[in-house]
Amino acid sequence: MTVQLQTGRLLFEGNDWDFATIQRIHDAVAEIAEKDLKLDTFPNQIEIITAEQMLDAYASTGMPLFYKHWSFGKHFAQHEAVYRKGLMGLAYEIVINSNPCISYIMEENTATMQTLVIAHAAFGHNHFFKNNYLFNQWTDPDGILDYLTFAKGYVSSCEERYGQPAVERVLDAAHALMPQGVHRYPRKKPLNLKSEEKRERERAELQERMYDDLWRTVPNAKDGGKARQLRDDKRRALLELPQENLLYFLEKTAPRLAPWQREILRIVRNISQYFYPQMQTKVMNEGCATYTHYRIMNILHQRGQISDGSYLEFLTSHTNVVRQPVFEDPYYNGINPYALGFDMMSDIERIATDPTDEDRAWFPDLAGRGDPMEQLKEIWRNYRDESFIAQFLSPNLIRKWRLFHIEDNPDEPNLSVNAIHDDRGYRNLRRLLARQHDTAWLSPDIQVVDVDLEGTRRLVVHHKVLRNMLLQPEDTARVLQHLADLWSYDVVLREVDFTTDAVLKEHHAKARPGIFA
């Protein structure tokens, strides 16, 4: 159904809404997004859900058609208990990177809030998902829903055939290794139902052939040094070592896993990979969506399509979303990505349309270019958080946010202020803040480097240590145990200095027999 829109006529009155109201809101927002802002989006599918369903979406990472796991129920119970006590609010929406783009909006929202979240999610996030280069490299919006259908059905069939406890053990181990289950360089292949079902049947046969090649590389006592080295090189090449994606390595080479267990590892790995771009674009993605909803809501008010009361309600919500608590505030929890993203988008608009001499010196290719939406869309397409902040955080915004850098050197008795508001300080602050959004600094660099195929079949894993930051021993022991169980033999994790390769610490785990028999 398409509703005819008239400028100057209110889309709704009061807080109440029905499905016809949602349709009018969507069409009005779509008209502004397409004609005024010239956004490029997937078709929209808007789902209206209850607070309980929103809690359920929280628990299962917001993905529809997800397989079942006990941890989702645990997370649901935790979120529900806190929500019922009034200690937390719920998101007004959750949006899925798929084609069509699925936006879940809460039935408890007022008509004004439904307008806001449709502008924010169904058009702001939607545009970013469709156009940003990381999402184009790593995700397949056309195939993700089919793949989730395949994954859910496959896990359910394994539970029926092998029993829920056996499947749960594999999922537990896979989820523990999920942060180290991504490729950091593009290897994207389309995910769709037909190809996955066909490839799942073929993978077991391919695995057998690979094992034949692999075990022929094991040296024997008669081999000389040169022959042994050639075999070692061939073995490492077959194993694709060093390998940063632990789930991929286990799926392909773990000696004792059954084909169905390998397929579950693959499912968890693919889902982990699907979320990889979101880890790198939180500031940009939320900044894009927040800036988009701000522009759309202002245009709706200027055209008389929402009332002054609705506009004040929107401004109250928007101000809360982009609020950045100071560090003494009890609600301070680091930098708010909505606040930083929105302020940077607004600052880029200012530089493009009304630059100062300072802006012209710092941003000669952007200052005074006009048409801020075209400049922003180009930025949204080609950057991630780390490069975005490194390129576009301006001295003006650094002053507005009152940013400075304090170094806490454990070898020194006092703190030192290393960056202030001068030319050199601005550059240092921009570089340091960008680094805080670089996944290479946020996620530990852990790689499989070798396997002792001649004797114990022990797996050797290295953690490249940056800034002398070692892994937490308790968490490391638990995760390493899952790795050893999946590998079926002992595992050693060596923490080595990034520059010198000196071993700083070792962790060991022995495989528990029969866990994945």
Side-chain angles (χ1 to χ4, degrees):
M1 168 175 83
T2 301
V3 179
Q4 295 297 319
L5 302 172
Q6 295 181 5
T7 301
R9 183 176 179 180
L10 292 177
L11 296 172
F12 53 84
E13 295 185 26
N15 293 329
D16 295 335
W17 54 268
D18 55 20
F19 288 104
T21 307
I22 296 295
Q23 182 71 59
R24 283 198 304 275
I25 290 169
H26 173 272
D27 291 348
V29 171
E31 183 177 27
I32 294 171
E34 293 165 9
K35 295 182 179 179
D36 293 82
L37 305 185
K38 296 181 174 58
L39 299 181
D40 177 22
T41 60
F42 294 120
N44 277 305
Q45 179 177 326
I46 297 175
E47 305 278 352
I48 298 170
I49 61 176
T50 64
E52 187 174 71
Q53 289 171 319
M54 182 65 79
L55 288 165
D56 187 53
Y58 275 16
S60 59
T61 68
M63 297 295 279
L65 305 171
F66 217 43
Y67 57 75
K68 297 177 182 178
H69 187 250
W70 65 268
S71 64
F72 301 154
K74 174 185 174 182
H75 294 155
F76 177 89
Q78 291 173 336
H79 290 315
E80 183 183 39
V82 176
Y83 173 66
R84 300 301 177 197
K85 291 177 182 177
L87 300 178
M88 69 172 280
L90 294 182
Y92 296 113
E93 43 74 29
I94 287 181
V95 59
I96 306 301
N97 174 26
S98 60
N99 184 14
C101 182
I102 302 175
S103 301
Y104 297 111
I105 62 178
M106 288 228 297
E107 67 177 11
E108 287 87 349
N109 293 344
T110 65
T112 300
M113 291 310 302
Q114 301 295 36
T115 310
L116 169 60
V117 299
I118 287 172
H120 181 94
F123 291 92
H125 282 309
N126 189 343
H127 173 90
F128 194 85
F129 287 149
K130 186 176 181 181
N131 293 278
N132 180 260
Y133 81 100
L134 281 174
F135 288 87
N136 289 332
Q137 282 182 347
W138 288 113
T139 67
D140 178 26
D142 294 322
I144 185 60
L145 297 180
D146 278 347
Y147 185 74
L148 289 172
T149 300
F150 160 77
K152 184 176 182 179
Y154 188 85
V155 171
S156 296
S157 68
C158 289
E159 288 177 339
E160 292 177 6
R161 184 170 181 179
Y162 304 105
Q164 184 176 349
V167 174
E168 195 171 273
R169 284 194 294 271
V170 180
L171 286 173
D172 286 349
H175 285 181
L177 295 168
M178 218 172 176
Q180 304 301 324
V182 295
H183 292 299
R184 290 174 171 81
Y185 299 95
R187 296 188 182 190
K188 189 195 79 167
K189 295 179 181 177
L191 302 176
N192 63 73
L193 185 59
K194 291 182 180 179
S195 67
E196 284 303 313
E197 289 175 336
K198 179 181 178 182
R199 292 181 66 197
E200 184 269 322
R201 291 192 296 268
E202 295 173 348
R203 269 191 284 271
E205 299 174 8
L206 294 173
Q207 200 71 30
E208 293 289 338
R209 291 200 294 273
M210 195 199 83
Y211 278 138
D212 290 342
D213 287 338
L214 177 62
W215 294 105
R216 276 199 296 270
T217 67
V218 178
N220 56 50
K222 298 179 181 180
D223 284 332
K226 187 173 182 180
R228 183 184 296 268
Q229 183 62 48
L230 289 172
R231 286 179 178 271
D232 285 347
D233 292 343
K234 183 179 180 182
R235 169 173 54 83
R236 291 192 181 94
L238 284 168
L239 291 171
E240 299 182 41
L241 298 180
Q243 177 57 253
E244 64 183 356
N245 191 328
L246 302 189
L247 288 178
Y248 177 83
F249 177 83
L250 292 167
E251 173 203 333
K252 299 299 181 184
T253 62
R256 295 183 177 178
L257 290 182
W260 68 269
Q261 293 169 324
R262 298 181 196 279
E263 194 63 35
I264 288 179
L265 293 187
R266 176 180 169 80
I267 287 169
V268 174
R269 175 171 66 83
N270 280 331
I271 291 170
S272 179
Q273 193 73 64
Y274 205 77
F275 287 107
Y276 183 57
Q278 298 190 29
M279 296 167 53
Q280 302 180 74
T281 56
K282 182 70 173 176
V283 171
M284 287 193 68
N285 202 343
E286 296 300 350
C288 169
T290 306
Y291 179 84
T292 297
H293 84 228
Y294 184 80
R295 287 286 304 271
I296 289 174
M297 294 297 287
N298 274 280
I299 292 172
L300 287 173
H301 182 244
Q302 291 164 7
R303 294 179 179 174
Q305 292 178 283
I306 60 173
S307 66
D308 291 345
S310 293
Y311 186 67
L312 288 174
E313 181 185 350
F314 148 68
L315 285 179
T316 300
S317 176
H318 174 81
T319 303
N320 289 334
V321 165
V322 299
R323 176 175 176 260
Q324 175 58 58
V326 295
F327 74 93
E328 305 103 325
D329 194 304
Y331 295 101
Y332 178 78
N333 189 29
I335 289 180
N336 176 2
Y338 294 82
L340 180 60
F342 177 73
D343 273 5
M344 287 191 67
M345 304 309 169
S346 301
D347 198 50
I348 289 168
E349 176 187 356
R350 179 192 63 79
I351 294 169
T353 56
D354 187 22
T356 63
D357 290 340
E358 180 183 59
D359 296 326
R360 291 188 177 92
W362 279 73
F363 307 102
D365 295 332
L366 175 63
R369 288 284 297 274
D371 197 352
M373 278 305 301
E374 285 305 310
Q375 310 307 319
L376 284 169
K377 285 189 290 184
E378 183 69 16
I379 291 166
W380 295 339
R381 184 181 301 115
N382 294 309
Y383 290 83
R384 58 191 176 102
D385 285 350
E386 182 263 338
S387 57
F388 172 63
I389 293 170
Q391 183 70 28
F392 294 106
L393 183 65
S394 71
N396 174 70
L397 204 56
I398 290 173
R399 291 191 295 270
K400 176 183 175 183
W401 275 58
R402 301 177 182 176
L403 296 175
F404 57 95
H405 174 229
I406 294 180
E407 183 173 355
D408 184 4
N409 189 335
D411 298 326
E412 298 292 336
N414 300 314
L415 300 176
S416 61
V417 179
N418 282 8
I420 58 174
H421 291 177
D422 57 18
D423 190 75
R424 181 179 178 182
Y426 293 141
R427 297 185 190 280
N428 285 339
L429 282 166
R430 190 162 71 170
R431 176 178 56 83
L432 292 166
L433 186 59
R435 181 175 288 175
Q436 291 183 13
H437 293 81
D438 184 356
T439 53
W441 286 76
L442 298 175
S443 180
D445 181 5
I446 297 176
Q447 302 181 21
V448 178
V449 296
D450 207 354
V451 181
D452 179 15
L453 294 182
E454 297 183 54
T456 63
R457 299 184 184 175
R458 183 179 66 170
L459 191 67
V460 182
V461 183
H462 280 184
H463 168 221
K464 293 283 191 176
V465 177
L466 286 172
R467 296 174 293 170
N468 204 32
M469 294 182 64
L470 299 176
L471 301 172
Q472 291 290 335
E474 298 81 5
D475 292 341
T476 303
R478 286 192 287 266
V479 174
L480 204 61
Q481 187 62 61
H482 285 299
L483 178 59
D485 291 339
L486 287 167
W487 178 245
S488 299
Y489 296 96
D490 296 352
V491 176
V492 57
L493 169 62
R494 296 184 181 125
E495 301 200 65
V496 299
D497 185 82
F498 185 81
T499 55
T500 66
D501 281 339
V503 177
L504 305 176
K505 191 173 184 179
E506 280 194 359
H507 307 265
H508 297 265
K510 291 185 174 295
R512 295 174 292 183
I515 294 295
F516 295 110

